[in-house]
Amino acid sequence: MLFTHHPRYADLTPAQYAEGLAWLRRMGMVTVTGRPVVEIGESELMETGPAGTVPRVRWSRAAEEAREAIGAAGEQALLRLLRQGGVPHVRHVAAESDAYGYDIEAARSISERAHLEVKSTTDPTRLVIHLTRHEYEIMTADAEWWLAAVLVGGDGNALNVATVDRGWLGSAVPGDRAEHGRWESARLEVPAHAITPGLAMETWRVLPDLLLPSRPVWALQLSPLESV
């Protein structure tokens, strides 16, 4: 009755919905009782089955809420560092709207301005980010857009802050393969060669490196002076 009369489900017939559920079960993505397979934790890992089968993408509402909390903690940690470091202009635009395509405005002068998209993680072994199409398009149109990666500690403070290379981001996102299809979000694992410690713009730094936390994470290596 629901599939037949509810307008939200009027796009497919009951038989098509039934076949879709049967396919999910055959692929091992849904149990015989109709529940999703195992829920995911923070690792965002995918389990791959035998060749030719669909990977089991694990998801749960709790994991999604935890991810959002980590993202918010990273933004707040970077805001604190910028304000404590004496940056004259700091504005948390993400608290106003998602339309900006970045999270924080930071400026030392009229000629030294940065629009920082913040990607946060609690994993020190690798840097995995999710970039939206909107963020990518803002990056390509805005020379002041930069991606700041923040490693968040258990107390909510930043353990490491780094900058991801814009050129690498542009080369790593997928391409639109058809006129009527386009990617909207991409999951990217950032290699060490595309990560620069600190908040490094092309010709200036938002904060001196000495004012930012730095750890040998994400395969980055500290300089001999920093490791003393």
Side-chain angles (χ1 to χ4, degrees):
M1 292 294 291
L2 176 64
F3 289 130
T4 303
H5 297 288
H6 197 290
R8 289 184 58 186
Y9 304 103
D11 54 338
L12 298 175
T13 67
Q16 288 173 312
Y17 272 109
E19 175 55 31
L21 179 58
W23 180 85
L24 291 172
R25 286 173 175 163
R26 291 196 300 272
M27 293 298 102
M29 300 174 70
V30 174
T31 68
V32 292
T33 60
R35 296 181 62 82
V37 199
V38 189
E39 296 185 343
I40 193 172
E42 287 184 18
S43 62
E44 303 178 48
L45 296 177
M46 293 192 302
E47 287 188 0
T48 56
T53 63
V54 176
R56 295 182 182 179
V57 182
R58 298 178 170 184
W59 180 89
S60 74
R61 183 175 299 279
E64 181 68 15
E65 292 174 351
R67 186 185 67 81
E68 292 176 355
I70 292 169
E75 292 177 22
Q76 291 299 323
L78 187 55
L79 285 166
R80 287 194 296 272
L81 288 170
L82 293 169
R83 288 164 177 160
Q84 292 168 3
V87 177
H89 174 78
V90 178
R91 180 183 171 197
H92 190 200
V93 299
E96 304 170 14
S97 172
D98 292 331
Y100 288 92
Y102 54 89
D103 300 307
I104 297 173
E105 287 183 359
R108 302 198 68 86
S109 66
I110 294 179
S111 61
E112 295 180 332
R113 304 179 62 88
H115 297 154
L116 301 173
E117 171 60 30
V118 183
K119 299 299 183 183
S120 310
T121 181
T122 57
D123 187 350
T125 64
R126 61 179 186 158
L127 177 57
V128 177
I129 64 173
H130 292 81
L131 188 72
T132 69
R133 180 65 173 248
H134 180 56
E135 291 163 354
Y136 168 74
E137 291 179 343
I138 294 298
M139 180 190 78
T140 59
D142 182 358
E144 296 175 341
W145 189 100
W146 297 89
L147 194 148
V150 178
L151 178 66
V152 180
D155 59 358
N157 289 316
L159 300 179
N160 197 85
V161 177
T163 308
V164 178
D165 183 71
R166 287 167 50 107
W168 180 85
L169 287 170
S171 68
V173 297
D176 295 331
R177 300 175 59 184
E179 179 183 356
H180 301 294
R182 51 179 268 156
W183 67 273
E184 290 295 335
S185 179
R187 178 185 181 278
L188 308 174
E189 184 165 351
V190 187
H193 68 79
I195 307 172
T196 301
L199 291 174
M201 311 302 100
E202 284 186 343
T203 59
W204 64 287
R205 289 179 178 262
V206 179
L207 280 177
D209 289 348
L210 292 177
L211 297 181
L212 290 170
S214 182
R215 301 277 184 93
V217 298
W218 307 324
L220 296 175
Q221 297 298 321
L222 296 178
S223 68
L225 179 61
E226 291 173 316
S227 61
V228 173

